[in-house]
């Protein structure tokens, strides 16, 4: 196999394939993972696999939304009104047999259950205390400052639909209902293996001709940042047999696998050959009409049809290709309905010129929110080996085939890091 792979000519150039077409192929080969129950806190960032119904009301009982006095609204229609204080209720107290009659009030704290007979709360700021009595200085209508049972969620409500992505507030809602196990689509477990005999991991001096493996750490970090389980599968060098073995093993252990390098048209570009061997008819090698990120290989691998993404070796290309193909597919596997990062319109702060070449160009940019909307400017050098500008920027500007845009023109941007939009 080694000789065959080393000598094999690359598959015939089939011309450029549009990003959308390659993505369609990839997405059609991926499936949402089987649902599972996970503990509440582990559900953060995952997608509900079933509609979730409440078994109880939130709030569970009528309670005060203010520190003040629980009373009968009709007793304070004319103010000032002097009421006799017949008790105190703290949050958590059982109001028990405490009943408010005509001309009476109960000192009450926020969250405490309303005593029987009370239908409103006057906030403490509008009262004056007089030993054993309280003077109410502002009339309150029935229901004022009262939180009614079920006014957030009624028992039996569908609180979340299947497909809802669960954020911190969702975790809070589920906790308020006493839910401890949540039916979700699990986090895809994604293995990362790098190819290339030139690669060295870790510190220490570099031998001549060697470089450090940066794609594997970057892809592992990217996966983790995107909410997937990142599994480091190490380096496979450029030996097809070793790579094939690593992929077979990974296909059993992982829900998906990313490789980097070895998908171009060099003599050592073994990934596409190994994928063809493992995936047969399912394997594809694309020359995508995009820059960076042109070469890309993909296959599902038996026995579980595990998707394997053959990302390019150039560091920026690897991450861009991940964005174009792997991330949407992994989100599909995780049950997300929205597979895309946000695409927004910005104004180019500088010229972004290019030449027609049949490809979409993705320019690393910094997008900033200014007084007149979003502004995009290139974040540095744009070679596919120059990672610094990807780290410095927060978005990719989309320049369709053509001559690019001039300063002041509108440009579509694909925001990779929303948190850095306002820096
Ligand atoms: P390839 O497609 O394997 O020919 O790789 C293209 C370029 O990316 C070459 O310059 C490689 O040395 C470089 N490269 C490949 N894999 C990595 C990696 N894991 N980390 C950094 N650079 C890489
Ligand atoms: Mg290589």
């Amino acid at each position: 196999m080694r000789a065959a792979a080393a000598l094999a000519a690359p598959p015939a150039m089939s011309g450029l394939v549009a990003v959308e077409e390659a993505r369609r192929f990839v997405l059609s080969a991926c499936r949402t993972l089987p649902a599972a129950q996970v503990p509440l806190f582990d559900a953060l960032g995952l997608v509900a696999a079933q509609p979730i119904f409440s078994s109880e009301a939130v709030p569970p009982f009528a309670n005060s939304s203010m520190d003040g006095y629980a009373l009968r609204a009709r007793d304070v229609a004319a103010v000032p009104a002097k009421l006799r204080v017949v008790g105190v209720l703290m949050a958590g107290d059982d109001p028990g047999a405490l009943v408010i009659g005509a001309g009476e009030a109960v000192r009450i704290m926020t969250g405490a259950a309303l005593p029987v007979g009370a239908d409103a709360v006057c906030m403490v700021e509008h009262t004056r205390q007089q030993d054993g009595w309280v003077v109410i200085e502002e009339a309150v209508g029935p229901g004022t400052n009262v939180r009614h049972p079920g006014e957030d969620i009624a028992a039996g409500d569908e609180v979340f639909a299947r497909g809802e992505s669960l954020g911190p507030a969702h975790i809070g809602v589920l906790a308020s209902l006493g839910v401890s196990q949540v039916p979700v689509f699990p986090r895809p477990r994604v293995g990362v293996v790098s190819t290339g005999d030139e690669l060295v991991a870790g510190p220490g001096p570099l031998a001549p001709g060697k470089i450090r493996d940066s794609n594997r750490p970057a892809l592992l970090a990217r996966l983790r940042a995107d909410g997937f389980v990142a599994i480091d599968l190490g380096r496979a060098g450029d030996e097809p047999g070793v790579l094939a073995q690593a992929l077979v093993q990974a296909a059993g252990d992982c829900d998906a696998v990313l490789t980097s390098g070895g998908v171009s048209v060099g003599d050592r570009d073994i990934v596409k050959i190994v994928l063809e061997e493992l995936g047969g008819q399912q394997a594809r090698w694309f020359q995508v009409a995009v820059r960076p990120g042109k070469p890309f290989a993909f296959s599902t691998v038996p026995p579980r049809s595990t998707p394997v993404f053959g990302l390019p070796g150039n560091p920026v290309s690897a991450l861009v290709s991940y964005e174009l193909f792997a991330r949407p597919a992994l989100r599909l596997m995780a049950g997300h309905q929205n597979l895309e990062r946000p695409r927004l319109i910005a104004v180019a702060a500088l010229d972004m010129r290019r030449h027609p070449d049949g490809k979409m160009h993705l320019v690393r940019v910094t997008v900033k929110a200014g007084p007149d909307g979003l502004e995009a400017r290139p974040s540095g050098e744009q070679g596919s080996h120059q990672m610094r500008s990807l780290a410095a920027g927060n978005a990719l500007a989309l320049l369709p085939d053509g001559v690019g845009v001039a300063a002041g023109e509108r440009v579509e941007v694909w925001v990779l890091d929303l948190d850095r939009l306002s820096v």
Side-chain angles (χ1 to χ4, degrees):
M1 176 164 171
R2 170 161 210 174
L7 296 175
M13 287 273 226
S14 56
L16 297 174
V17 170
V19 169
E20 285 314 317
E21 190 183 331
R23 193 198 307 234
R24 260 198 305 277
F25 179 82
V26 168
L27 293 180
S28 70
C30 296
R31 299 281 170 271
T32 301
L33 298 177
Q37 296 274 343
V38 299
L40 176 62
F41 195 65
D42 293 345
L44 179 65
L46 299 181
V47 173
Q50 291 167 20
I52 299 175
F53 293 92
S54 69
S55 57
E56 54 193 53
V58 181
F61 50 84
N63 68 94
S64 176
S65 67
M66 292 287 168
D67 295 324
Y69 288 85
L71 42 73
R72 304 175 346 145
R74 77 196 94 138
D75 290 349
V76 297
V79 285
K82 194 168 172 182
L83 306 178
R84 199 159 64 84
V85 179
V86 296
V88 180
L89 284 171
M90 304 290 177
D93 284 353
D94 178 354
L98 192 54
V99 177
I100 287 186
E104 293 179 342
V106 160
R107 174 83 172 113
I108 193 165
M109 310 305 157
T110 305
L114 234 62
V116 174
D119 61 0
V121 172
C122 179
M123 57 199 283
V124 71
E125 289 86 339
H126 299 147
T127 67
R128 265 185 296 122
Q129 254 178 298
Q130 285 180 356
D131 49 2
W133 297 78
V134 62
V135 178
I136 305 296
E137 294 175 325
E138 191 173 272
V140 288
T144 303
N145 298 325
V146 175
R147 301 163 172 164
H148 298 284
E151 81 179 13
D152 186 8
I153 300 165
D157 272 1
E158 180 182 310
V159 280
F160 301 130
R162 172 190 155 96
E164 182 118 10
S165 167
L166 305 173
H170 298 78
I171 302 297
V173 166
L174 294 171
S176 76
L177 294 168
V179 171
S180 62
Q181 294 283 316
V182 191
V184 292
F185 299 111
R187 235 172 263 287
R189 295 164 41 84
V190 189
V192 180
V193 59
S194 45
T195 70
D197 284 341
E198 73 277 34
L199 301 179
V200 173
L206 285 172
K210 303 293 185 192
I211 60 164
R212 302 192 199 278
D213 181 354
S214 62
N215 288 350
R216 193 156 43 98
L219 289 167
L220 289 166
R222 184 71 269 172
L223 287 166
R224 187 184 293 184
D226 286 340
F228 308 120
V229 179
I231 300 168
D232 188 352
L233 301 176
R235 284 169 295 135
D238 279 327
E239 163 61 52
V242 173
L243 177 65
Q245 207 176 5
L247 290 183
V248 166
Q249 167 94 37
D253 296 345
C254 304
D255 298 312
V257 182
L258 311 180
T259 68
S260 88
V263 290
S264 196
V265 291
D267 291 349
R268 288 272 174 85
D269 287 337
I270 57 164
V271 170
K272 55 184 190 273
I273 294 160
V274 169
L275 282 187
E276 241 172 68
E277 189 182 288
L278 298 179
Q281 292 293 307
Q282 311 307 315
R284 286 284 190 291
W285 179 61
F286 298 101
Q287 297 275 71
V288 186
V290 67
R291 184 172 126 182
K294 183 172 83 161
F296 169 64
F298 176 82
S299 188
T300 52
V301 169
R304 298 194 302 138
S305 292
T306 309
V308 179
F309 300 84
L311 307 177
N314 275 307
V316 177
S317 312
L319 284 171
V320 165
S321 190
Y322 167 88
E323 293 289 339
L324 291 171
F325 305 115
R327 186 175 184 274
L330 295 171
R331 284 180 66 81
L332 183 152
M333 294 173 74
H336 286 282
Q337 292 174 350
N338 171 16
L339 306 182
E340 302 291 340
R341 291 196 195 273
R343 286 186 180 203
L344 306 174
I345 299 294
V347 170
L350 301 173
D351 287 351
M352 293 188 223
R353 289 301 181 195
R354 50 157 297 175
H355 295 293
D357 60 1
K359 295 183 209 146
M360 165 80 81
H361 287 199
L362 303 175
V363 179
R364 281 148 264 170
V365 292
T366 300
V367 175
K368 262 194 197 172
D372 302 322
L374 298 177
E375 188 184 89
R377 72 178 62 227
S379 55
E381 299 294 334
Q382 298 288 328
S384 59
H385 59 298
Q386 291 168 305
M387 278 287 274
R388 233 164 64 166
S389 53
L390 192 57
N394 58 1
L396 298 170
L398 278 66
L399 301 186
D401 195 21
V403 296
V405 297
E409 287 181 348
R410 285 149 61 94
V411 62
E412 196 176 4
V413 293
W414 204 21
V415 180
L416 304 181
D417 189 347
L418 275 171
D419 281 343
R420 290 201 289 160
L421 218 54
S422 52
V423 293

